[in-house]
Amino acid sequence: MERPLPPYLQITQHYRDLIQSGELRDGDRLPSARQLVEQWGVAHATAAKVLATLRAEGLVKTTSGGAGGTVVSVQDVGQSPRDRVLAVRRWGRIYPPGEHARIVSAELVDAPEHVAAALGVEPGSAVIRRRRVTFREEAPVSASTSWYAGELAEVAPGLLIIERLKQGTPGYIEQQTGRVARLGRDQFTAALADAAVSADLGVPEGSPVLVGRNWFRDADGEVLEYGEYVSTPERWQTYEYELE
């Protein structure tokens, strides 16, 4: 039987959701610990723990008066591919307020060996490569490349158009083919920016960056999308998950 989350985590998740959905924006004030006690009927220690947890995650900061906190910019909190899929399903949009993506290329290319292995296709076979840069306001914060089997070009031609898909690529593929992303896997490592990353993100060559790759699979375990992405330094990637 699934056990309910402790009260402080339930309240914390409530405010996480409000921040991530954009209902609470930069500069909006959170309730003080005293107000949380009154609104949620919890002990003062529980309310204080909620605010401390949100501060530790970088979502709020204490005001000079010490009464509650203010929602800080999400510019220091990055989104994983999993986050983007869940955001579309929960709120109908991919990016948090203040962020947007630009598609810089979308084309059929010959599959590099490592991409062919990731997609489960033959090296050199036609695959779709779709590149985007994500901006916080007008500052680039991440760049990513999504790869798809070339057979999708006929049934999902929007993947080859240099325009953003409002429902996200997994949602678009589901719409066009009926195949639903059920399983996801992300990997991360630290790296140094090469010339291409430097050009995309405006960081000096050799500066540290966060590099990731991801797989989305359908219910049969077939790869729908393989992605590679890189983020600017000091941008946290956050996951919430259960261990049971």
Side-chain angles (χ1 to χ4, degrees):
M1 184 175 65
E2 188 174 327
R3 290 177 292 180
L5 292 172
Y8 93 91
L9 282 180
Q10 294 180 36
I11 303 170
T12 300
Q13 187 59 53
H14 171 77
Y15 286 105
R16 279 197 201 106
D17 287 346
L18 291 180
I19 294 167
Q20 292 170 351
S21 70
E23 290 185 52
L24 284 175
R25 296 172 176 266
D26 185 61
D28 287 347
R29 185 181 292 276
L30 286 185
S32 66
R34 179 180 297 178
Q35 290 170 326
L36 288 176
V37 169
E38 295 173 353
Q39 293 173 11
W40 293 85
V42 294
H44 186 276
T46 299
K49 195 170 184 179
V50 169
L51 295 176
T53 300
L54 292 170
R55 283 196 297 270
E57 293 178 2
L59 294 174
V60 304
K61 61 183 178 182
T62 302
T63 61
S64 57
T70 55
V71 178
V72 299
S73 169
V74 296
Q75 63 184 343
D76 295 332
V77 181
Q79 281 191 310
S80 69
R82 169 184 174 273
D83 293 330
R84 291 194 290 271
V85 171
L86 293 178
V88 170
R89 291 178 178 175
R90 294 174 69 181
W91 303 307
R93 62 173 180 268
I94 302 173
Y95 299 98
E99 288 197 4
H100 65 280
R102 295 175 189 164
I103 308 302
V104 296
S105 67
E107 57 195 336
L108 276 171
V109 299
D110 294 338
E113 188 170 342
H114 76 285
V115 171
L119 290 175
V121 301
E122 290 296 320
S125 60
V127 294
I128 298 171
R129 180 176 64 191
R130 188 173 171 86
R131 294 186 62 248
R132 70 183 63 79
V133 176
T134 300
F135 296 81
R136 175 68 179 170
E137 304 303 344
E138 292 303 316
V141 292
S142 69
S144 60
T145 302
S146 296
W147 301 87
Y148 311 89
E151 63 192 36
L152 287 176
E154 184 173 347
V155 294
L159 296 174
L160 289 169
I161 298 175
I162 305 178
E163 292 180 5
R164 189 171 66 83
L165 299 168
K166 293 182 179 180
Q167 68 271 58
T169 49
Y172 174 69
I173 291 172
E174 178 182 348
Q175 173 186 302
Q176 297 297 111
T177 69
R179 297 172 65 191
V180 181
R182 297 292 187 192
L183 301 172
R185 185 184 187 206
D186 288 7
Q187 294 181 328
F188 299 99
T189 189
L192 300 178
D194 60 17
V197 171
S198 175
D200 282 338
L201 301 184
V203 298
E205 285 191 50
S207 60
V209 290
L210 178 68
V211 174
R213 57 186 182 180
N214 69 282
W215 291 258
F216 290 139
R217 299 178 184 271
D218 63 19
D220 296 324
E222 297 297 320
V223 178
L224 288 174
E225 175 183 327
Y226 167 66
E228 301 170 318
Y229 52 101
V230 58
S231 295
T232 52
E234 300 179 2
R235 193 167 161 83
W236 290 96
Q237 299 286 345
T238 302
Y239 291 91
E240 192 78 16
Y241 55 86
E242 295 183 5
L243 296 177
E244 297 182 356

